[in-house]
Amino acid sequence: EGMQLEIGAPFRDYSPPPEFEAVTERFKGQARIGPSSSLENYTAGEPFPMEEIDCLGDPQAGAKIIWNFDRQWSGDGAENNFLYTYFDRGEQLSLYYQGEAKVVEMMGRIEPEYLDKNGGDIFKKDKRKTVLGIEVDEPFESRGLAALTYRYKGSQEPPPGKYDDTWIYQPDARRVRRFATKERTDAISGTDFSFDDLRSFAGIVPHYEWTCLGEMVLIAPMNTQMRAYPYSKDADFGPRGLSFANDRWELRHAIAVRSVPVNPDHPYSRKDIYIDKQSLTPLYSFAYDRKESLWKIIWHNHRWSEDDPDWYKGWAGVKRPRDMRIVSDIIANAQTGTGNRIEFWDSHGTPFKSKAKVRRYIDISRLTQGR
């Protein structure tokens, strides 16, 4: 009661830029699904054009869709500020984290300087697929905490493939420690999220079995009208902080896929992910425990880059970004009544201005420099 739910234009065009679509057409038909949902012979663009996927007739449809999701258009990756808050039965707790994050897409680049010279790699024959950097500014006791994660091209291969490498700088100990890959499915700092829950799915694709559940029309919070934190600190997505009721919703063509972990020790028995069919951004996901009971509900809000051109600018090789950015991940634990919200503001995928800056950012030694 009291929430102003707005219904936006149905089925608005959120297609990627023409440069991305041209690269998809250029490499069309080359990518293949290998053993254990692995990806073979991929260069750049959308691996498997969505309009050609037969959800119910193709046994590989689920794997094709999730690889499209994994390689969806996001520009250089992501650069944003974040606020990570905790909730207990609707009450916001004082525990929080605030800082900056950056993702660099190291492969599959569509800019001519990378695609034509290095086969889509920023650095020729680099083994890394993506690099994620996180730096914490608040609260004071966590200030200076920093992390760097490498995901490798080998993660696209059949299991065991190549696992992620993560390094964390702990300011109190003034040292960098290695982060165990198996901990990606554990809760983050006592929250309901795991690293693999971010963006609904941030895991390694071949570590799961994938099934396409079908296509449908859904209403979802697609393109927010709220600027939220830090521009409006009172705007918290609804009366209890875990709702998008006070925002704009739209009808969207969606497609659902189910992931079943290959590892029998994984805490989930399955997760059903609902994906916007055009932009490939996640809308909702539902995770179930080993007893097949609903455990966690994850959903997202987004912001369309073309509604505010000054915030997210184009660059050499991409005139206009045409990018649907996630501006919040929200998770609710259906069994405990707890939850978490991650807000991302000023999120964009504009690249660094030089390869030298990329090289410095992804260097592990950066974690301790100047701290």
Side-chain angles (χ1 to χ4, degrees):
E1 184 178 357
M3 295 293 98
Q4 301 298 314
L5 190 147
E6 174 188 334
I7 304 300
F11 312 119
R12 185 180 172 186
D13 180 17
Y14 294 128
S15 57
E19 295 92 341
F20 183 82
E21 294 183 326
V23 170
T24 297
E25 183 64 26
R26 175 178 169 182
F27 295 104
K28 182 179 177 180
Q30 294 188 14
R32 300 185 301 268
I33 298 296
S36 302
S37 299
S38 58
L39 181 64
E40 299 177 346
N41 207 37
Y42 170 76
T43 302
E46 191 173 272
F48 308 97
M50 288 296 292
E51 65 274 9
E52 298 182 5
I53 296 177
D54 181 1
C55 175
L56 300 181
D58 182 357
Q60 295 182 329
K64 290 177 179 178
I65 294 164
I66 203 64
W67 276 120
N68 285 350
F69 175 87
D70 182 87
R71 304 309 303 155
Q72 67 184 259
W73 168 247
S74 61
D76 178 64
E79 183 173 347
N80 57 60
N81 297 278
F82 69 87
L83 175 66
Y84 194 177
T85 48
Y86 294 64
F87 289 82
D88 185 357
R89 294 164 182 81
E91 179 184 357
Q92 185 170 339
L93 306 180
S94 57
L95 184 59
Y96 74 99
Y97 292 99
Q98 185 169 324
E100 301 86 39
K102 171 74 176 173
V103 177
V104 181
E105 292 287 348
M106 302 295 294
M107 64 165 285
R109 301 299 292 259
I110 68 170
E111 298 93 331
E113 66 170 311
Y114 302 137
L115 187 58
D116 297 335
K117 295 180 180 179
N118 300 338
D121 294 344
I122 294 182
F123 303 110
K124 195 170 186 177
K125 296 184 179 180
D126 196 308
K127 295 182 179 181
R128 290 166 293 200
K129 177 184 174 186
T130 60
V131 175
L132 164 65
I134 298 174
E135 297 178 22
V136 176
D137 297 329
E138 298 180 26
F140 179 80
E141 59 268 21
S142 298
R143 184 177 180 83
L145 184 70
L148 200 62
T149 294
Y150 292 170
R151 175 158 293 178
Y152 299 95
K153 294 177 182 177
S155 66
Q156 300 176 155
E157 299 172 358
K162 176 68 173 175
Y163 288 88
D164 296 350
D165 280 326
T166 297
W167 296 266
I168 297 178
Y169 175 74
Q170 298 172 300
D172 53 344
R174 296 186 179 182
R175 68 180 182 90
V176 175
R177 77 173 182 91
R178 189 83 168 267
F179 183 77
T181 303
K182 64 180 181 180
E183 295 175 19
R184 286 192 62 89
T185 59
D186 294 342
I188 303 173
S189 299
T191 74
D192 290 295
F193 272 113
S194 71
F195 281 105
D196 283 0
D197 286 325
L198 301 176
R199 211 166 56 90
S200 266
F201 177 74
I204 295 176
V205 172
H207 289 180
Y208 299 82
E209 297 175 351
W210 297 94
T211 306
C212 184
L213 300 179
E215 301 184 37
M216 67 289 294
V217 172
L218 289 180
I219 189 168
M222 192 65 186
N223 184 12
T224 183
Q225 64 177 343
M226 299 173 62
R227 300 201 71 191
Y229 185 89
Y231 306 105
S232 176
K233 295 186 178 182
D234 294 331
D236 62 357
F237 302 110
R240 297 183 182 274
L242 297 174
S243 167
F244 291 123
N246 198 38
D247 209 339
R248 177 168 50 205
W249 294 57
E250 300 175 27
L251 282 173
R252 301 299 299 170
H253 293 290
I255 195 161
V257 293
R258 173 169 294 171
S259 69
V260 175
V262 174
N263 181 0
D265 295 328
H266 196 288
Y268 296 157
S269 62
R270 59 185 169 97
K271 181 192 284 184
D272 296 342
I273 308 171
Y274 293 78
I275 301 169
D276 182 67
K277 191 175 179 182
Q278 183 183 53
S279 67
L280 292 169
T281 193
L283 303 176
Y284 308 98
S285 57
F286 302 87
Y288 295 81
D289 65 19
R290 281 293 171 178
K291 296 180 180 180
E292 292 290 335
S293 296
L294 177 62
W295 187 5
K296 299 175 185 178
I297 304 168
I298 309 171
W299 66 104
H300 315 268
N301 210 340
H302 320 80
R303 180 169 288 125
W304 179 232
S305 65
E306 305 311 286
D307 287 351
D308 189 355
D310 292 333
W311 141 62
Y312 185 176
K313 300 181 183 297
W315 59 96
V318 180
K319 185 177 180 180
R320 290 298 318 152
R322 293 190 63 84
D323 194 356
M324 181 60 75
R325 306 298 298 184
I326 291 180
V327 295
S328 64
D329 288 343
I330 287 181
I331 190 165
N333 190 320
Q335 298 181 8
T336 65
T338 58
N340 302 93
R341 184 179 73 226
I342 312 175
E343 299 174 60
F344 308 97
W345 65 92
D346 298 334
S347 176
H348 65 84
T350 303
F352 284 123
K353 292 184 178 180
S354 71
K355 290 173 68 174
K357 289 187 175 181
V358 176
R359 195 181 299 275
R360 285 195 295 270
Y361 186 81
I362 65 178
D363 191 336
I364 299 165
S365 65
R366 177 185 63 81
L367 295 177
T368 57
Q369 291 174 355
R371 296 185 180 276

